[in-house]
Amino acid sequence: YAAAVAEKEEVETALAHDFRLLRDGDGEASHDTSKLLSLSARLSLDESLLTALPSVLAKKATERGSFDAMVVAQLEEGLMNKVAKLKEIVITGAPAAAARDAAVEEAQRAIDAAKDSQQAAADELKAANDSQQKRAEDAEAVKAAIGAQGPAVKAAAE
C-alpha cells in the first residue's frame, strides 16, 4: 500500500511537471528526461514507442512530427493510466492498510504490556532471591550461634 502511494505520487509529479515541460518545452538539455524514461519503462508501452521516446523527448515541441506527437500522446496516456491504476489500488487498499495499522498498534501495546509484566516478575524474583539469601545468611548465623553455645549447654547439662 505504501509503495503504491509513493509510486502514485511519483507518477503524478512526473506527469504534472516533467512530462509537461518536455511535451510543451523546447527540448533544451536543461530538461532532465531520465525520470520520464525510467517511468516509461514501467508503463507497459509498446517497444517501438520506448525506443523512439528518447529522441522524441529531445526535440523541440515545434520540431516534432506526427509520429513524435503520437509517441508523446501514448506516453501521456500511459502515465495517466498508471495514475488511475495506482489511485484504484490506494483507494481499495486504504481500509486494509488502516486495519493493518490498527493491528500493529494493538500488537505493540501487547508487547509493551508483556514487557512491563516481565519486568515486574523479574523485580519480584530478585526481591524473593534477595530475601532467600538474607534468610539463608540468618540461618547460618543462628547455626553458628547454636554451635558456639554447644559447649556451654553441654557443661550445664552435666
Side-chain angles (χ1 to χ4, degrees):
Y1 175 78
V5 170
E7 186 177 5
K8 176 183 157 289
E9 290 174 5
E10 176 188 15
V11 175
E12 284 177 330
T13 300
L15 184 59
H17 183 262
D18 299 315
F19 176 77
R20 186 185 55 76
L21 286 176
L22 289 166
R23 180 192 63 203
D24 303 334
D26 56 11
E28 290 180 3
S30 63
H31 300 305
D32 185 16
T33 62
S34 62
K35 189 174 189 178
L36 280 176
L37 293 173
S38 172
L39 283 173
S40 66
R42 295 186 273 166
L43 297 178
S44 303
L45 295 176
D46 184 75
E47 188 65 34
S48 63
L49 291 174
L50 290 174
T51 304
L53 197 56
S55 62
V56 170
L57 294 178
K59 293 179 184 179
K60 293 180 181 180
T62 57
E63 296 174 353
R64 294 181 186 145
S66 60
F67 177 75
D68 298 335
M70 190 266 310
V71 169
V72 171
Q74 288 291 315
L75 175 59
E76 183 175 24
E77 182 181 330
L79 288 168
M80 290 190 323
N81 287 340
K82 185 68 169 180
V83 167
K85 287 177 186 175
L86 290 169
K87 277 183 183 177
E88 179 74 20
I89 291 170
V90 168
I91 289 169
T92 59
R100 286 189 300 272
D101 289 344
V104 167
E105 289 175 17
E106 180 61 31
Q108 188 59 51
R109 282 192 295 275
I111 288 170
D112 293 343
K115 283 181 181 178
D116 291 346
S117 176
Q118 186 272 336
Q119 185 61 48
D123 292 344
E124 288 176 16
L125 176 62
K126 183 177 182 332
N129 284 340
D130 290 347
S131 177
Q132 179 192 19
Q133 180 66 31
K134 173 78 171 104
R135 291 200 183 355
E137 290 170 1
D138 290 349
E140 287 299 318
V142 168
K143 284 182 186 177
I146 290 173
Q149 294 297 323
V153 171
K154 221 180 205 187
E158 290 178 356

